[in-house]
Amino acid sequence: MVYLSMLLPASYAFSAEQVTAQQFVNLQQGNTSFAGFRRAHAKGACVTGYFEPSGQLSALTQVPIFAQGTTPFIGRFSIAGNNPTAPDLKSPVRSLAVSFNISPTQQWRIAMNTPPVMAVSNPHDFYQQIAAIKSGPQALKAFFNAHPETQDFLNWKASYTPNQSLALERYHSINAFYLENSQGEKRAVRWYFEPQGHPMDVTSDTDNALFDELSARLLKGSVKFNWIFILSEETDDENDPAVSWPEDRQRVVAGEVAIEQIDMDLNAQCQSINFDPLTLPSGMSATADPILRARSAAYAESYRRRAKEKLLEALQ
Ligand code: HEM
């Protein structure tokens, strides 16, 4: 059995309770698993588009997409939860994942959510948070009361109004990463995609309201976001995804992300991608944030389960 703590730097290993990737995915899929689907963010659609850099980030990282030219990507919009037919407007979290082919040997996979921070700082507490969510509102309230580190997340939640469009949400990296330049200098950063769009007249409250709206919007033109990096200062903790960094931190507009097409087909290309946040190109590296290792292990377990089910289905 591989425990997540074995994948963590020694300073982050848990001395008491440990959570395996299998335990995470068992909890996330719950009693009803949907064969062939992701165990989290099961409902989603593939998109394609391109990134056009401003050039403003290239002094901080060697990743070539920030220097010049446009780079195509495959992406996936999703909503949180294990149900691939869940009603869009009921999900508390919306998401966007993107995958860049950086070179024949390097890819960059990114998965972002609407909150700017997590509620908790480590995998053990995230496991307890999911368990509390599944137990109901009372248990979740008790969980938040027992965890003061959830305050930044709760402040965001109180200020957040879900949009009627996936094109109008802000999508955050939440976890921090290091940018590395050719001189070997490292800077911890977080980032977000800031929407450029405006509300459309068409609103719907069907189960597919958000994906229908996005499809309608894309018929009229591309959906754009500014890709903004937040640069940390010495006093910011890059290993704790529950703590916001001060508002006055320097922000760099790295460029513009344009989404051009959507493909609702369940076998479209993005559906078989594992958006593992530790798939990083040269010029980017992971912080010691223990959540990153937990994510990587859990995504692999979810991927294994759904890939096996797809294979068995194809063999029938
Ligand atoms: C310990 C914490 C976390 C765990 C255990 C976890 C678990 C998972 C799992 C099992 C999947 C399905 C993977 C697959 O089958 O491909 C998933 C998908 C996803 N997660 Fe997480 N997650 C965690 C934290 C986060 C955070 C902090 C973010 C946002 C920054 C995030 C964003 C996403 C997104 C966007 C997807 C869907 C990606 C896609 O479209 O394939 N997760 N997560």
Side-chain angles (χ1 to χ4, degrees):
M1 183 73 72
V2 176
Y3 285 98
L4 294 175
S5 57
M6 293 175 183
L7 305 171
L8 303 177
S11 57
Y12 286 91
F14 308 119
S15 53
E17 296 168 73
Q18 298 170 315
V19 189
T20 64
Q22 289 79 6
Q23 285 171 323
F24 255 125
V25 174
N26 286 345
L27 183 67
Q28 287 175 308
Q29 79 179 26
N31 294 330
T32 338
S33 71
F34 296 89
F37 287 92
R38 285 164 172 77
R39 273 29 185 196
H41 303 257
K43 187 172 185 183
C46 297
V47 290
T48 47
Y50 63 88
F51 170 64
E52 188 167 11
S54 64
Q56 287 178 37
L57 203 73
S58 55
L60 293 177
T61 175
Q62 295 177 63
V63 180
I65 66 168
F66 294 112
Q68 57 189 355
T70 58
T71 309
F73 63 81
I74 295 174
R76 183 171 180 270
F77 278 100
S78 61
I79 57 170
N82 70 335
N83 180 351
T85 58
D88 294 350
L89 298 175
K90 294 244 166 83
S91 171
V93 174
R94 286 107 186 247
S95 313
L96 175 56
V98 291
S99 170
F100 289 103
N101 276 329
I102 304 286
S103 75
T105 53
Q106 293 191 47
Q107 297 217 347
W108 186 8
R109 307 248 171 99
I110 297 172
M112 299 168 290
N113 282 347
T114 35
V117 286
M118 287 190 72
V120 293
S121 308
N122 63 61
H124 171 266
D125 291 344
F126 186 58
Y127 183 91
Q128 303 300 334
Q129 185 192 344
I130 304 173
I133 292 169
K134 292 192 179 252
S135 299
Q138 296 278 34
L140 188 58
K141 196 161 175 240
F143 177 86
F144 284 139
N145 286 338
H147 287 266
E149 76 276 21
T150 57
Q151 198 53 54
D152 284 356
F153 173 80
L154 292 175
N155 289 346
W156 167 81
K157 199 162 173 270
S159 69
Y160 169 70
T161 310
N163 287 284
Q164 292 291 319
S165 172
L166 292 167
L168 301 180
E169 295 287 1
R170 212 193 233 196
Y171 298 94
H172 296 264
S173 71
I174 303 181
N175 304 106
F177 295 81
Y178 295 113
L179 294 180
E180 288 177 16
N181 66 14
S182 49
Q183 281 84 52
E185 294 160 338
K186 280 167 84 166
R187 184 81 175 251
V189 294
R190 288 173 173 161
W191 65 77
Y192 55 92
F193 283 14
E194 175 75 19
Q196 290 183 8
H198 302 286
M200 288 200 328
D201 291 341
V202 193
T203 50
S204 127
D205 58 1
T206 66
D207 282 0
N208 296 322
L210 292 176
F211 290 99
D212 287 349
E213 197 270 0
L214 186 63
S215 303
R217 195 178 268 271
L218 284 165
L219 289 177
K220 297 185 178 167
S222 56
V223 161
K224 292 189 172 172
F225 296 86
N226 290 327
W227 190 351
I228 297 174
F229 281 73
I230 310 172
L231 310 188
S232 67
E233 296 289 342
E234 286 279 303
T235 47
D236 301 329
D237 185 353
E238 67 265 42
N239 299 321
D240 187 344
V243 177
S244 302
W245 294 348
E247 273 301 308
D248 64 0
R249 290 293 173 261
Q250 189 185 343
R251 279 153 212 254
V252 177
V253 183
E256 192 176 80
V257 172
I259 290 166
E260 295 185 294
Q261 286 187 325
I262 185 165
D263 188 344
M264 299 294 294
D265 191 318
L266 291 177
N267 290 313
Q269 206 181 345
C270 82
Q271 302 292 4
S272 59
I273 296 178
N274 171 2
F275 289 93
D276 174 349
L278 292 186
T279 304
L280 297 166
S282 303
M284 292 285 308
S285 57
T287 55
D289 177 347
I291 293 284
L292 279 173
R293 276 80 186 166
R295 287 179 68 184
S296 186
Y299 291 24
E301 176 63 17
S302 172
Y303 184 83
R304 267 193 293 277
R305 292 186 193 189
R306 61 191 173 92
K308 185 176 167 190
E309 290 158 356
K310 281 264 183 208
L311 184 65
L312 290 174
E313 186 188 286
L315 290 174
Q316 271 175 7

